Amino acid sequence: MTHLALVGPSHLTAPRIPAAPGIYRIGQGPPPTPVAVSFEPSDRRRCENLLTWFERGGEPGATLLVDDWKLCAESDPGLAESIRWITVATPARVIITARSLDHLPERVRLRVEVLDFLALHGLSTFTKALAWKGRWWKVPVGTDAHGRPVVAELTHLADGKWRTGSHLGVTAPETLRSLVLGLMTTHSPKLFQAVFVDAHDSDVFAGLDQAPHVQTHHRGVARDPALIRHVADALLAESERRLEVVGNTWTIFHHRGFDQVLPQLLVCVHGLDAIVAAEPEFATTLATIAHDVGKSGVQLLLDSPHDVVTRQIDDCTVPANLDEATKSLPQLMCQAEPAPGFFDLHEVPNRFDRSHAWRPRPVKMQYRVAVGTDEHGQPVEIDLKSGTLQDGMGPHGEIMAPPERRAEGLRALILGQMLRHSPDELQVVLIDFHGTGVFAGLDSAPHVQPALAEALMDDHERRIRMLVDSGNYRTTWDYRTARSNGAQLGPLPELLVCVDGVHGLVEARPDFLQVLQTLGRTGRSYGQHLLLSDATPPSDLQGNDFMSYRLELTGNGWARRIGRSVESFTLPTDLDSVAWSLPQAMRATS
């Protein structure tokens, strides 16, 4: 008995469900085909009776249709085990529909038909903000002869010690196209780029070459040895350039820090045998490039056997609408998308819910929030944690913009931190030296503390005493770790000291300059962070290299600068209204 899983939207899966007598359905809404009976997933009693009947064998020729697996399984946590029993112990046939490949139940043997390319990658529609979330590990390509997913593994562990890129082999052009389009669909050009080398003037890369990920498309190279040598020299030069950028770092994966220094580069070669026959040295070039993949990030995708191939991708059945997707998706990738609102950027409901927004997060994600989106619709983040202690971007930063524009950058960063951290995790001091109202609205949040210089130094001394008296902890992070492990310790939130008009402040109040210098020198250990804003950098502090990151308004818009990394971004569209509504909502629920 062949049990079937149909993956895709309902308008594609419905025609594939056979119109036959004896179909019993669990699903929501009208059935896609005539059935003997249909029960809503929420009708637990009738659904359980139907499953029990099938578990006992049902009637000859009966088919159980579970229409929209994720929806049905959410109503019945035991559904997967019931279906598994029916498939292995009864003569009944099972058909499952799912909107995404990753929705299918585990440990249930099914012949999978993927009818929609986006469904293969867990998507119902494509937007850059939604789709370009991939990590450079693996990507689904299609299904094998038994209906099992075929996945291309993009990396492997070298000597079991460090991760490095794999060189891939593929024979079927459809499989190659599905793999490359899958990478484009799930990774932004900041994570993945491609070079296409076609021995002939074929259409294997047609459509794909319109995506923003493609650096170059070399056509008909097998006809001209000089062109082959030109392509080889260009690939070698790019590999060497990347090696210089990465330097002595272990691998390109370790080199990446703040939102990608170098993307992976996939060199896709179609017609390798013809190219090597015309210019044998091309094979040597590929071997040289392949050797340095760990640091350069240049990986090969070859359509003929070669010694460098470490992962062979078997021929498989690609999604039914691959050709259509190859034409439409690259065009969507080139279109601009509007900047998201504040709550969409942070992927939280538009109404403040403290149990959701202030829930615990892994250490890596603590004090790391988005301030806007880049040109690919992906979040650009600021991490207050120290770069030397917790692999963050802090501890201190600055915002440089004209007076009438600084509020935008300040609101984006401060509101994001308040949204994600409760007053027990984060406290904020707001100092508006010129009285321009730059923090208007924010000052009503429950996180906000007094802004006196004496209060800041008292807080500094208090933190030192707490660390020493509580167990001689070296940093607030050591203290917080002990507290999370069960030590009877009170909360010790991080403190974000925000000063607008810092030039005027330090000129008028030299004593405050000393406070800022003290916090700048020792803040990383005691959980105190400076955020200083003005039209130009504060030279008195900058000379001591206190500032780790900067948000600045340039002629091309806002940019985030961390060391040599410069990232342009667009702010959320509704910061003004959120600055008034969100702090009030937080105070109302505190």
Side-chain angles (χ1 to χ4, degrees), residues 233-246 288-289 292 296 298:
D233 290 343
L235 294 176
L236 282 172
E238 175 62 15
S239 179
E240 291 169 0
R241 181 189 74 83
R242 288 163 164 264
L243 292 175
E244 291 180 2
V245 172
V246 173
T288 301
I289 295 172
D292 295 324
S296 71
V298 180

Side-chain angles (χ1 to χ4, degrees), residues 270-516:
H270 178 65
L272 176 62
D273 289 342
I275 297 174
V276 172
E279 180 54 70
E281 283 300 311
F282 190 73
T284 304
T285 298
L286 294 182
T288 301
I289 295 172
H291 180 266
D292 295 324
V293 60
K295 288 195 172 183
S296 71
V298 180
Q299 296 178 232
L300 305 177
L301 176 61
L302 310 178
D303 72 339
S304 298
H306 194 289
D307 292 341
V308 302
V309 170
T310 53
R311 293 284 190 275
Q312 183 67 38
I313 305 170
D314 296 332
D315 294 350
C316 60
T317 301
V318 299
N321 63 347
L322 174 63
D323 289 343
E324 176 187 341
T326 304
K327 297 176 182 177
S328 61
L329 288 179
Q331 295 179 10
L332 289 176
M333 296 170 191
C334 294
Q335 295 177 5
E337 293 182 356
F342 177 82
F343 292 100
D344 288 337
L345 172 65
H346 292 278
E347 299 181 337
V348 299
N350 287 345
R351 187 173 63 85
F352 177 72
D353 179 356
R354 62 179 297 172
S355 63
H356 178 78
W358 289 348
R359 69 183 187 275
R361 296 198 295 170
V363 171
K364 182 179 180 180
M365 300 306 298
Q366 292 173 18
Y367 306 101
R368 184 183 184 100
V369 299
V371 292
T373 52
D374 64 14
E375 71 273 24
H376 306 306
Q378 300 307 294
V380 173
E381 298 173 317
I382 288 294
D383 189 340
L384 297 184
K385 298 193 296 293
S386 169
T388 57
L389 294 180
Q390 298 95 17
D391 195 26
M393 304 173 188
H396 311 302
E398 54 194 6
I399 294 181
M400 298 295 106
E404 67 274 11
R405 299 293 301 276
R406 288 200 294 273
E408 303 169 15
L410 288 165
R411 286 170 173 172
L413 196 156
I414 298 170
L415 284 170
Q417 292 289 345
M418 290 177 172
L419 175 68
R420 287 299 190 182
H421 302 95
S422 72
D424 284 344
E425 299 169 315
L426 175 72
Q427 294 181 355
V428 178
V429 170
L430 303 175
I431 302 174
D432 179 3
F433 176 72
H434 296 296
T436 59
V438 68
F439 298 119
L442 304 181
D443 49 11
S444 62
H447 306 72
V448 176
Q449 302 299 314
L452 300 175
E454 296 78 5
L456 290 176
M457 290 310 299
D458 288 346
D459 179 78
H460 186 70
E461 297 298 329
R462 180 182 66 85
R463 288 167 178 268
I464 295 175
R465 289 195 303 270
M466 284 186 67
L467 294 182
V468 173
D469 296 345
S470 300
N472 205 26
Y473 298 110
R474 188 172 62 91
T475 70
T476 54
W477 284 92
D478 296 336
Y479 178 99
R480 198 172 291 117
T481 299
R483 186 169 183 258
S484 65
N485 291 335
Q488 298 300 308
L489 301 170
L492 183 55
E494 299 289 288
L495 180 69
L496 180 61
V497 180
C498 309
V499 182
D500 182 62
V502 65
H503 288 314
L505 177 64
V506 299
E507 289 177 6
R509 293 280 305 274
D511 59 319
F512 225 113
L513 173 60
Q514 295 178 0
V515 172
L516 297 180

Side-chain angles (χ1 to χ4, degrees), residues 168 180 183 192-195 264-268 299-301:
L168 309 173
V180 175
L183 289 170
F192 159 66
Q193 295 180 7
V195 169
Q264 292 295 117
L265 179 63
L266 187 66
V267 179
C268 309
Q299 296 178 232
L300 305 177
L301 176 61

